[in-house]
Amino acid sequence: MRRPRRKAEETKADILTAAEALLRKKGFAGFSIADLAAELQMSPANVFKHFQSKTVLADAICDRHTTRMIGRFDAKDDSVPAPARLGLVARRLMDAHLADIRDNPLFFEMLAMMASTDLPSGRHYRKLIEDLFESVVRHGFETGVYKSAPESTIGRSVAPCFAAVLHHVFLIHADEAELHARCDGLVELVNAALQSPLAK
Amino acid sequence: MRRPRRKAEETKADILTAAEALLRKKGFAGFSIADLAAELQMSPANVFKHFQSKTVLADAICDRHTTRMIGRFDAKDDSVPAPARLGLVARRLMDAHLADIRDNPLFFEMLAMMASTDLPSGRHYRKLIEDLFESVVRHGFETGVYKSAPESTIGRSVAPCFAAVLHHVFLIHADEAELHARCDGLVELVNAALQSPLAK
């Protein structure tokens, strides 16, 4: 029973890799499932067996891309105090998005399109970002630098605060120097809130 | 010399009002300048004399709408302490956007479309919102409730903090109860930051 299942997963991965390459070269609207199948020397029906639609395929590509990107943040580097770590995380996330825009506009266009829908990859991505900020707040709270617990109202509001430097609508036409200044300002504001003795 | 100029401004206002009515009924893509001219019993050339394109017309409609909306906030009610006022401003702004979405989706669609471009109405709107938050921060700073000045890094970061409850991309498909909770959380976080004795 195991063999065929493993093979199906390998085929799925092959399809994803070929689709991502096509997507980076031609954009989401620039290729069909038939083109992709031809590239892979398989029938379109076989592609559809693994991905029921082009949207499902795009969703899977986005999910793989963003999960890998967030995965690179998983440095459990507790040597950096939480306030500095908050700045590092926010800036690295923003820079990763800016690099996507710069290096591959067609691919980013699809990421942005998917993010504006209510597909699983978008929800998963938001969850990964929330978890990332939560882990910083938790570290700060545990080391006594932050007064707000991650599960407090203030703790839970940290991720939404950074929307203005992380969501694609704010990144696409923005001036990079201005974005960096905005990001630094948000980091300073959030750190002041989390460190405030008034915070519950 | 005065008469004709005043008349031109009246014609402009008439065109705007008729265009806004058409827009609310049919959406931006649902009418042409020719339809609008027919409605006003004037020639399309006369409409174009006042608005060089449909985009310029839409920009003017947006600007009038948002300026009026923000104008209603201009209650110089200094009796409410700044921290409570911050909550009122954020919630009222968010609710005004949600009312636009609910009451007139076609009109909101155009507002959202214009906001995602770099047209004067979008820039003006962002400036109005920034000024609104700045006036709250200034009031809090002057009354000694806030430790951060409006022109400090933290003071200038207040408006961007609320992007996640004010920008249309976060409002369109969101759950209203969740949005209200998120807004309350951001208000609490920003108030903690501004009141923090650590804040410069």
Side-chain angles (χ1 to χ4, degrees):
Chain A
M1 280 293 277
R2 263 193 185 155
R3 281 250 164 151
R5 223 192 130 210
R6 230 182 108 212
K7 191 146 179 290
E9 261 155 41
E10 277 165 19
T11 310
K12 261 187 117 156
D14 287 349
I15 296 173
L16 278 182
T17 302
E20 185 168 334
L22 268 175
L23 212 141
R24 288 180 181 270
K25 209 158 52 183
K26 306 190 166 184
F28 185 70
F31 74 95
S32 66
I33 295 284
D35 298 334
L36 175 63
E39 189 98 351
L40 286 154
Q41 295 181 290
M42 54 170 76
S43 70
N46 203 10
V47 176
F48 280 118
K49 203 173 75 187
H50 295 280
F51 298 98
Q52 296 82 344
S53 69
K54 214 172 147 189
T55 307
V56 171
L57 182 63
D59 192 45
I61 294 172
C62 283
D63 202 47
R64 196 172 66 161
H65 176 76
T66 53
T67 305
R68 276 182 190 160
M69 186 183 91
I70 297 285
R72 274 181 265 130
F73 280 79
D74 201 42
K76 300 253 176 256
D77 186 6
D78 286 352
S79 65
V80 183
R85 230 174 128 191
L86 182 75
L88 285 175
V89 165
R91 253 167 258 132
R92 280 182 61 192
L93 267 175
M94 186 178 79
D95 287 339
H97 290 187
L98 288 171
D100 273 340
I101 295 180
R102 216 172 17 230
D103 301 344
N104 206 306
L106 286 174
F107 187 67
F108 188 78
E109 197 179 271
M110 187 213 47
L111 286 175
M113 190 180 79
M114 299 305 278
S116 66
T117 61
D118 195 32
L119 287 160
S121 63
R123 283 198 299 274
H124 184 213
Y125 188 47
R126 280 190 291 279
K127 178 79 174 61
L128 289 172
I129 289 192
E130 277 161 25
D131 290 351
L132 203 52
F133 282 114
E134 201 204 283
S135 84
V136 179
V137 180
R138 164 153 303 122
H139 175 231
F141 187 65
E142 283 167 2
T143 51
V145 195
Y146 287 162
K147 310 299 169 200
S148 297
E151 62 275 8
S152 69
T153 318
I154 292 180
R156 273 183 283 113
S157 303
V158 172
C161 254
F162 288 100
V165 291
L166 295 182
H167 197 284
H168 63 93
V169 289
F170 303 106
L171 300 179
I172 287 177
H173 301 293
D175 176 80
E176 288 208 15
E178 222 170 85
L179 275 177
H180 277 98
R182 195 195 292 167
C183 185
D184 291 348
L186 289 169
V187 169
E188 202 174 308
L189 184 142
V190 171
N191 272 329
L194 293 169
Q195 292 176 280
S196 171
L198 306 162
K200 284 158 284 183
Chain B
M1 282 294 277
R2 266 197 182 150
R3 282 249 165 156
R5 222 193 131 213
R6 229 183 109 214
K7 191 146 178 291
E9 261 155 41
E10 277 165 19
T11 310
K12 260 187 118 155
D14 287 349
I15 296 173
L16 277 182
T17 302
E20 185 167 335
L22 268 175
L23 211 141
R24 286 180 181 272
K25 211 157 51 183
K26 305 188 166 185
F28 185 70
F31 73 96
S32 65
I33 296 285
D35 298 334
L36 174 62
E39 188 98 352
L40 286 155
Q41 296 181 289
M42 52 170 77
S43 69
N46 202 11
V47 175
F48 279 119
K49 203 173 73 189
H50 295 279
F51 298 98
Q52 296 80 343
S53 70
K54 216 171 144 188
T55 306
V56 172
L57 183 63
D59 191 45
I61 295 172
C62 283
D63 201 46
R64 195 170 71 159
H65 176 78
T66 52
T67 306
R68 276 180 190 163
M69 185 183 93
I70 297 287
R72 276 181 263 130
F73 279 78
D74 201 43
K76 300 250 175 258
D77 187 7
D78 286 352
S79 65
V80 182
R85 229 173 130 192
L86 182 76
L88 286 175
V89 165
R91 254 166 257 133
R92 280 183 60 192
L93 268 175
M94 185 179 78
D95 287 338
H97 290 187
L98 288 172
D100 273 341
I101 296 180
R102 216 172 16 227
D103 301 344
N104 206 307
L106 286 174
F107 187 67
F108 188 79
E109 197 180 271
M110 188 216 44
L111 286 175
M113 191 180 79
M114 300 304 279
S116 66
T117 61
D118 195 31
L119 287 160
S121 65
R123 283 199 298 274
H124 184 211
Y125 187 49
R126 279 190 291 279
K127 177 80 174 63
L128 289 172
I129 290 192
E130 277 162 24
D131 290 350
L132 203 55
F133 282 114
E134 199 204 285
S135 82
V136 179
V137 180
R138 166 152 301 124
H139 174 232
F141 187 65
E142 282 166 2
T143 52
V145 195
Y146 287 163
K147 311 298 169 201
S148 297
E151 62 276 8
S152 68
T153 318
I154 291 181
R156 274 182 284 112
S157 303
V158 172
C161 252
F162 288 100
V165 292
L166 294 183
H167 197 285
H168 64 91
V169 289
F170 303 107
L171 300 178
I172 286 178
H173 301 294
D175 176 80
E176 288 209 14
E178 222 171 84
L179 275 177
H180 278 97
R182 195 194 292 167
C183 185
D184 291 348
L186 288 169
V187 169
E188 202 173 310
L189 184 143
V190 171
N191 271 328
L194 293 169
Q195 294 176 278
S196 171
L198 305 163
K200 285 158 283 184

